[in-house]
Every structure is written in structure tokens, then in C-alpha cells.
Amino acid sequence: MTVPPMDASSNPSHIDAGLGGGDAQVIASRAMVAQDAKWLSNALISARGEDGVWSIALFGHATRVVFEGSKIARDERLGVPALAELLTTQHAAEIERSRQASKLLDDKLISLAELRAEMASTYAAHHARFTGNAVWFARGLETDLALATLNDRVIAASIPLDRRFGLEALDESSVMPLAETLGSALTVLAAMTGETSIQVTPVDYQRIGRVTWRDRLAGRELKRSYESNMAIETKFILLLVESEVATSAEVLPHTAGGIQLSVFRSQTVVLFHALSTIRAVLDAEPGLSARSNPMLQFLQSEEAAYFLKDPAFRMVRNYAMHYGIRDPAFVLDLQAPMFGLVESLTGERIQELADQVAGSTIALADLLRDWRVQ
């Protein structure tokens, strides 16, 4: 897949003197935060009045940018104290929880067993809350899982989302307080380069496609998904991975608003963490059947091995995820897309790597969908 051209039009050549100026590492670190904050602010503003699934699908990216961007804003060398003071600590627990969840199993703070236990607990709470309430003859119609699909790919699922954000329901009253906190923080972080206004480039969400909401009973819906003998809590982990990858493939490219670099960074983060998690899940599953062969073959391909194991790509992922460039010996080009980081680290042109990441994301989204519904 060929993505729209990467360009450096949003790279600032300086930082407003009122924010303290800085060397190339400071400029680049702040600018990446500001770019991603502007991108998500634009995407979330455009989603107002649309189906709430668009905002929900972007929340994971927003919490990552807010969490990591706030760390940069407060950093002794890279930060901007005047802006750091404006960042609220409201919903800090939910934001950190979601940011950790976006790393899935690439996180020393949680093991696969612990993640399974958390999913099992969340599922039990949903099942208890949403079933057993109807009269006896209607209980076969009760549901405990809400799914939002786009082109048959799941982009949101209530139980994994509850585990991620701590939201028991996907209704406006539950979502809006977190959305307002994220929006406020993104506005602050968008000013990391001294520019205080966000130019809105409307995203036409209706052109992305039609989202279908379905209410299902999880035990019945997922009974034959993936491996039939796989524990349901493991299936919820894979459902969370699918929603991340499907959003990255189906939604993010349409939200760029001229900031293609932000989409590239987010797709890079999602692809690496998704592959890492799928590999960990399958390594722990005994006696896999032929149903898992396509996914296993993909994980064993040179393509996946590059994204999982190549040290240079992992460094690109690190900067895409965490932003901070602290090595003073790192030579940056302030006029190049992403300041020449990709070319310096990998020897590849950023456009070539962006095409690879986007193409592999689509391929993985297809594999996850087919694995679930076969």
C-alpha cells in the first residue's frame, strides 16, 4: 500500500522564544508531541456529532499522546514548564491505564497471566450486570458484549474497552468526562512549539464507511472464534488487538488532516505491539489447530520478523511512542520528515517504511478478522 507523501511541512524550524528555545533534540521532541496532539485534536473535534465509535476508537491514541506528551512537557531538559503547569491530573489513572493497555504485552508491568485474569474479571462483571435481568423466557435474548464493526472488522468491543479505560458502558455519560480531559490536555500539548491555535481540517467520517453495532452474548459469539478450546479471556485479548489493528488500518489514514507523520507514528506503535501480543498469546497456547496456521505463517515471515526483531525499527517505534530524543550526538535534520530519524536509524526513506507499515497493518487486520469469523 502507498500512503500519501510524508513531508516536513509541519516541522518547525524554531521554537518560540517564550518557551525557552532549545537545540535540535529539544525542537524535534517537542514538535513530534505537538504534531500528534494537533492531529488528534482535529480528529476528535471532527467527530463531534458523529457516531460515538469514532471518538472511542481514537481514545487509545489520545491517551498515549497525552501520557507520553505530558512526560515530555514536564521533562527537565525537553519540557516546557509553563505548559506543564496547565496539564490537569484529572482522569490520570484512566489515562495511564489506557496507555499501558496500548502496549498490550510489551510491558514489564503485566504478564499474560495477569492480563487474562483482568479480562476474566471484567467479563464476569459485565456478564453479571447485563444478564439474568429479563423474565425467564426472554433470557436467551440477553447480551453482555457490544461490538462495533467496519467492513466486518471489529473497531470497538465493550468488554476489552472496559478493561482498558474502566468504562462499564459506551454511552455518552461515561465517555464525555474522559473525552473532555483528553481534549483539554491535547490543546495544551499542541502548543509545545509555541503555536497556540489548532487549524481544524474536517474529517469526513461518513466517507470511511458504515459502522454496524451489534449486541451479543460473548460466550456464544466467540465460542468458535480463533481456537475453539481457547479460554474466553484470551479471546478478549485478541479482540482488543483486532480493534487496535482494524482502527489503525481502516480509520487512522482518513484522519490525517495533512499530518501524515502522526498517522505513521501511531501505525508503527500499533503494529509492533499487536505482533508482540499475538506472538505471546500463541506461544502460550498448547495444541494449536490448522485454524491458526495463517497467523502463525505471518508471524514467521520475514516481514513480521523485521517489525518484531530489527533493532533499528524498534528504535523508530521507541521515538514514535515516547518522543524524547536525549542523545546530544544524534544528528537531526530539522527540514526532513520526522527530522531524518527514520533515515538515520534504518537507512530507509521514511516513505518506504510508512508504506511497509501501512501494508502490513492491513494484512494483519485481515488475518485477525478471518481468524475470528472462520
Side-chain angles (χ1 to χ4, degrees):
M1 177 185 179
T2 301
V3 302
M6 301 283 123
D7 64 67
S9 60
S10 55
N11 284 3
S13 58
H14 69 283
I15 286 185
D16 187 284
L19 299 183
D23 55 27
Q25 284 74 33
V26 172
I27 292 172
S29 300
R30 293 180 183 177
M32 287 191 289
V33 173
Q35 286 170 349
D36 289 4
K38 289 175 182 177
W39 160 57
L40 282 164
S41 292
N42 180 74
L44 289 169
I45 289 170
S46 297
R48 291 175 181 170
E50 301 286 347
D51 189 319
V53 71
W54 303 120
S55 295
I56 292 168
L58 294 171
F59 272 3
H61 300 279
T63 54
R64 174 184 62 81
V65 172
V66 168
F67 183 89
E68 299 291 347
S70 296
K71 289 174 67 175
I72 297 298
R74 296 180 176 116
D75 187 85
E76 183 176 349
R77 175 169 173 256
L78 305 176
V80 183
L83 293 179
E85 291 178 1
L86 299 177
L87 292 168
T88 179
T89 57
Q90 188 178 17
H91 295 294
E94 292 93 333
I95 290 170
E96 181 171 3
R97 174 180 178 148
S98 174
R99 177 264 185 186
Q100 294 301 138
S102 71
K103 297 176 72 174
L104 300 168
L105 290 175
D106 182 50
D107 185 354
K108 297 180 177 64
L109 297 179
I110 190 167
S111 66
L112 176 59
E114 290 169 325
L115 182 55
R116 281 173 172 162
E118 289 187 8
M119 284 292 188
S121 176
T122 304
Y123 170 50
H126 272 249
H127 188 73
R129 179 182 178 188
F130 295 107
T131 64
N133 302 312
V135 293
W136 67 269
F137 56 82
R139 290 189 178 177
L141 302 175
E142 289 183 320
T143 62
D144 55 13
L145 174 67
L147 296 172
T149 59
L150 179 64
N151 297 329
D152 295 324
R153 296 167 173 161
V154 172
I155 61 171
S158 58
I159 292 173
L161 279 171
D162 184 359
R163 186 267 163 189
R164 180 168 193 170
F165 296 110
L167 301 174
E168 291 187 0
L170 301 183
D171 55 35
E172 186 174 355
S173 62
S174 300
V175 169
M176 281 308 297
L178 177 58
E180 290 171 358
T181 298
L182 291 172
S184 175
L186 289 170
T187 300
V188 173
L189 295 173
M192 287 281 283
T193 56
E195 299 169 318
T196 57
S197 62
I198 297 174
Q199 183 177 353
V200 178
T201 304
V203 176
D204 187 353
Y205 285 99
Q206 293 185 14
R207 292 189 62 184
I208 298 177
R210 182 174 179 271
V211 175
T212 301
W213 282 96
R214 296 179 295 149
D215 291 324
R216 294 288 188 266
L217 191 67
R220 189 161 55 223
E221 175 72 10
L222 299 176
K223 184 176 181 179
R224 292 182 174 81
S225 295
Y226 313 113
E227 292 282 345
S228 58
N229 62 346
M230 186 180 281
I232 194 166
E233 53 266 29
T234 303
K235 295 182 180 185
F236 286 131
I237 295 172
L238 294 174
L239 201 57
L240 176 59
V241 173
E242 181 181 354
S243 66
E244 288 282 292
V245 176
T247 296
S248 186
E250 294 273 9
V251 181
L252 296 195
H254 298 279
T255 66
I259 311 180
Q260 300 295 339
L261 292 168
S262 293
V263 172
F264 164 67
R265 281 191 286 269
S266 286
Q267 287 187 322
T268 295
V269 169
V270 168
L271 181 61
F272 175 79
H273 292 146
L275 288 171
S276 299
T277 299
I278 296 167
R279 183 180 63 181
V281 166
L282 290 181
D283 285 348
E285 284 294 317
L288 295 171
S289 72
R291 294 169 63 93
S292 297
N293 283 349
M295 184 61 74
L296 287 168
Q297 289 167 4
F298 184 77
L299 290 175
Q300 293 164 1
S301 68
E302 291 184 10
E303 180 181 359
Y306 171 74
F307 293 126
L308 283 168
K309 299 178 181 178
D310 186 83
F313 180 78
R314 289 180 74 104
M315 287 298 295
V316 173
R317 171 267 173 199
N318 288 345
Y319 288 120
M321 177 87 179
H322 302 295
Y323 302 116
I325 305 170
R326 294 179 170 81
D327 183 355
F330 209 133
V331 178
L332 299 171
D333 179 356
L334 295 183
Q335 304 306 315
M338 206 167 157
F339 310 101
L341 273 169
V342 170
E343 288 80 359
S344 179
L345 289 167
T346 69
E348 287 188 80
R349 291 175 57 248
I350 190 170
Q351 187 71 52
E352 294 170 352
L353 184 58
D355 290 344
Q356 291 176 48
V357 168
S360 295
T361 298
I362 291 172
L364 185 58
D366 287 340
L367 284 168
L368 284 163
R369 176 198 59 202
D370 294 345
W371 196 19
R372 173 176 51 81
V373 302
Q374 65 178 320

